[in-house]
């Protein structure tokens, strides 16, 4: 089985559906790296995932200015937006290294992690395509997740 699978999400609603689909499949210690340009749908996917894991509608602001938002679900969820960081050393100040082992971490702009990038992170790359977006999921340490994704999302 390949380590990367792809699909087309024709609408913003399907991007949210992907977040809701992924939410119950994550466990403490999972790190999801959300990649893509501004406006690709990273925050939208993260918001849907967080709300699904919480089991309720919740105000889920983008952590663009706070850098990290945390949520108490059955497992703590950390949502980080590293766009404003200029050096990977700044990541250590946020406490993310400890969170990587104890929480579900959703990281926007993960290239700012540098050497701190978890080796078995799940990568979700989003790119706009017309009214929808292309999504590519890379998860070398999660073959079951890739298989389920292929069955559920590849058409």
């Amino acid at each position: 089985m390949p380590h990367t699978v792809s699909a087309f999400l024709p609408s913003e609603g399907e991007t949210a559906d992907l977040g809701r689909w992924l939410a119950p499949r994550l466990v403490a210690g999972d790190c999801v790296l959300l990649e893509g340009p501004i406006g690709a749908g990273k925050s939208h996917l993260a918001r849907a995932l967080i709300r699904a894991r919480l089991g309720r509608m919740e105000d889920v602001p983008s952590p663009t200015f706070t850098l990290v938002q945390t949520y108490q679900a059955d497992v703590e969820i950390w949502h980080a937006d590293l766009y404003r960081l200029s050096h990977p050393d700044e990541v250590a100040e946020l406490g993310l290294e400890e969170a990587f082992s104890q929480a579900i971490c959703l990281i926007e702009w993960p290239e700012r992690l540098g050497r701190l990038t978890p080796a078995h992170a799940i990568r979700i790359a989003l790119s706009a395509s017309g009214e929808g977006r292309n999504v590519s999921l890379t998860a070398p340490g999660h073959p079951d997740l890739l298989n389920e994704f292929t069955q559920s999302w590849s058409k």
Side-chain angles (χ1 to χ4, degrees):
M1 170 117 204
H3 291 298
T4 301
V5 292
S6 300
F8 177 69
L9 307 174
S11 69
E12 196 171 90
E14 285 213 25
T15 303
D17 288 346
L18 176 59
R20 288 187 287 270
W21 176 88
L22 187 58
R25 291 167 171 82
L26 298 176
V27 298
D30 280 343
C31 181
V32 179
L33 307 177
L34 299 166
E35 301 173 336
I38 291 173
K42 299 178 300 290
S43 293
H44 186 69
L45 188 146
R47 186 172 293 114
L49 189 154
I50 292 165
R51 287 176 174 160
R53 193 64 185 237
L54 292 172
R56 65 181 184 275
M57 285 302 291
E58 172 100 8
D59 183 32
V60 179
S62 171
T64 300
F65 295 103
T66 58
L67 300 180
V68 174
Q69 295 284 120
T70 61
Y71 301 90
Q72 288 302 133
D74 58 319
V75 173
E76 189 172 38
I77 302 169
W78 284 50
H79 181 199
D81 183 330
L82 307 182
Y83 183 75
R84 294 178 48 227
L85 299 185
S86 58
H87 194 276
D89 289 346
E90 295 173 291
V91 173
E93 298 172 24
L94 299 176
L96 279 173
E97 284 183 277
E98 187 175 329
F100 288 153
S101 64
Q102 301 173 1
I104 293 170
C105 295
L106 309 174
I107 311 294
E108 297 185 43
W109 303 99
E111 62 276 8
R112 308 277 202 291
L113 288 170
R115 63 176 174 70
L116 299 176
T117 303
H120 287 91
I122 298 164
R123 291 183 182 272
I124 298 177
L126 298 161
S127 61
S129 180
E131 293 295 312
R133 53 192 45 89
N134 293 310
V135 61
S136 177
L137 180 81
T138 304
H142 302 82
D144 292 342
L145 181 68
L146 290 172
N147 187 39
E148 286 183 54
F149 179 86
T150 299
Q151 292 176 8
S152 299
W153 294 94
S154 297
K155 296 179 171 75

